[in-house]
Amino acid sequence: MSSHDGSADGPSRPPQPPGAVQPAPRGNAGPQALPPPSWGLAAGVLGVLAGAWTLGRTVVLARQQGYRLWPPSPNALATLRADCGGSLMGVVLLGALVLLPWLWARRCERPARALAWGWAIAAAFALWVHRGFLYNRYDIAPLWKERQALLGMHVPRALVDGPALLHNGAITGSAAALAVAAYVLLRRPAARLRATRGPHWLRLTGIALLAAQLLARALPVTAGRLRPAGPDLILISMDATRADRLGCYGSSAGLTPALDSLSRRAVRFTRAYAQEPWTLTSHMSMLTGLDPDAHGLDFGRSLSPAVWTLAERLRDAGYRTRGSVFDCFLLDPRFGYAAGFDRYEVSGEAAAQRCRRAVRWLLADDRPAFLFLHLYDPHSDTGALPYEAPPERLKGVPPEVLRAFAVWTDDDGASERLRKVNEGQVTLPDSLRRALPQLYNAGVAGTDAAIGELLAALQSAGRLESALVIVLADHGEALGERGHFMHEELMEATLHIPFLLHWPQGREAGRVREDLVETVDVAPTLLAAAGLAAGSVSEGHDLRAADPTPRRAAFSRSGPLYAVTTEDGWRMLYTWEAQGPHFTSLRHVGEDQGDGPELLEQEPQRVDRWIEWIWTRHRADELLAARFTGKTVRMSGADEELLRSLGYIR
C-alpha cells in the first residue's frame, strides 16, 4: 500500500528546522554536500586575525620609531589608525578570496572540487596581481610611458619589449603553477568540510575587534591631539631650480612674478646652498636638519627609524601634516619620507593640480597644518625633450628645434643623452645647446604659476599673512657650464639655490640676508616657529634669529666628492680618506655659474687653514651616523636606469 508521504517505502524522517543543512546521500556530490558559510564564524576569525595583526604591527612600528605607547602619543595613534585601515582592507580581500569561491562552489555539481579550484585560483590571482603590479609599477614604469610603433599603432613599449614580456610571462606562469599546486593540496580538506558555527567567544571577540578598528579608522586624524599654538607651516621645494632664474635673484626674463612678489614680503637669502645636488638626500636634509652623511639615507638605503623627521615632531605637537611629492621614485615612502605625515601623496600630476589639491586640504580645517610640497616641473626628463612643459609654455621654441631634439635623443631618452654628453660619448649640437635654457625656463615659469595660485588662495582665505612659508630648491641645474649638464657636479649652478622665508605678520618683509645658509636650516627653523626645540642632533640653524648664522662655510656632497664653500667666496673640492681630505680643486665662487678657473696649484696654502674645520664636520657626521642604521631598499633595474639617466649614478 502506497502513501502520499512515502511512509510505505521506509521509515519517515523527522521534520528538519528551516535552514538546516541536509546530509547528502553517499556518492552524491550535489550542491547540498557543501555547507553554507557561517558568516559569524568568518567575521570572528577575520576579526581576531586583523586585530592581532594591527596591534602587533603598531607596537613594533611604534617601538622602532620611538613613539610613546602609553599614554599613546599622536604619532602612535596615527600609526594605529593607519594599521587599522590596512587590516580592514586585508579583511575585505581575504574574506572575498575565501567566501566568494565557497558561495560559487555550492552551486556546482562537485562542490568540494569546485571549492578547491576556487580557493587555488583566488590565491594565485592575488599573487599575480600583487607581483605584476610591483613589477610594472616600479621595475618597468618608464616602458609604459614610452611609445613604439606596432602594426601602424603607437603602443606602450612595455607591450613589445622582449625582457618585459618574458618577465610578465614568467609571473603569469608562476601564478598558474601555484594554482595547480594549491588545488592538489586543498582538494582533500575541501571534501571534509562540515557545517560549524564556531565558538561563541570567537565570534563575539572577532566582531568586536572589527568594530573597534572601524571606529578607530573613522576617527579624525587629529583625534587625541592638542591644538598647536604655532602658525601654519608651508615648505615648498622646487626641484632642480636655479636661483638666477628668479627675478628677485637678478633675472630679467620675467619667469617668476609670483615668487618675485613673495620676496617683497619675505626674507631673501642670497647665499643659500644645498647639502647635495640630488633629490633623494637633499630633501631628507631639509626634513631632519642633518647632513647626508649623518642621516644615512642614500641610494638603496632608507632612513633609520631612529631619525625623527620634521613631520613626526610636528604631528606629535598636534599639527595636521600632509606631503605631496612628484612621482620620481626618489621621494618614495619606501625611503622613509612618509614618516609623520597624516597623508603622503605620490603623484605624477603637474604642479598646478597638486597645489590646488593641497591648498584645499589646508583650508578645509582651521587647525594649524604642516604642508610639504615637492614640485618637479623644472627637472630634467627622460622623454624626447630634456625639459618637458605644456605646449603653451613652449611657444617661443621653434617647432624644428623640438623635432631636432626628438631625433637627437633617439631611443636613449633626453636625460640619458645629456649624461653621455657629460661623459664625452656624444656631442650636443650648438642649435640645441642654445635652445636648452628655453626649455628649462618653461618648467620654472610653470612652477611659479602654480605657486602663485596657491599663495593667492591662501591670501584670499586669510591664511597667508599668519603662515610661515619657505620656498627653496633642493639643488640647482647646470645648463652647459664647464661643458656639464644636469646636476651631479659640485659647482655654483648646482649648489646655489633660491631660498625665500615668509614670516607671519610680515616680519622682516623685504629683508636681504647675505650670510651662508643651508638646506639643513629648514627643520630647526620650522620647529622653532612651532615652539619646539630642534633637538641635539640638528646640524642647522634657526633662521628666525635676526643675526646672521655663525656659519663659516657651507658643506656639500656629491657621491664621494665633497665641497666647502667659504664665507669669503672660495670653493674647495676634496675626497675624504682615512688620512683626511685629499683636495682636488680650488676656485672662486660666482665668477660664473661654473665657478672661476682652477687655482689649487697656484694657492695650495689657502686650503690648509680649512683642514681642521673639515675634520670637525666629518667627525660630527660620523658620531651622528653611528646612532642610526637603516634597512636596505631593493632597487630594480629600471630604477637604476632611471637614476643613471638623470645623472645620479654611473
Side-chain angles (χ1 to χ4, degrees), residues 31 49 131 185 203 215 277:
L49 290 176
R131 186 65 194 93
L185 293 174
R203 286 180 283 138
L215 177 62

Side-chain angles (χ1 to χ4, degrees), residues 34 60 75 79 87 108 111 155 177 202 236 255 334 418 443 472 506 519 615:
L34 188 66
V60 169
N75 276 315
T79 301
S87 67
C108 299
V155 300
L202 179 63
I236 302 176
L255 302 174
R334 291 180 293 172
L418 289 177
L472 79 170
T519 49
W615 268 100

Side-chain angles (χ1 to χ4, degrees), residues 267-289:
V267 181
R268 175 168 60 90
F269 296 92
T270 62
R271 301 184 68 195
Y273 288 96
Q275 255 45 69
E276 185 161 10
W278 188 13
T279 300
L280 174 69
T281 50
S282 182
H283 281 98
M284 194 54 78
S285 287
M286 296 181 201
L287 297 178
T288 60

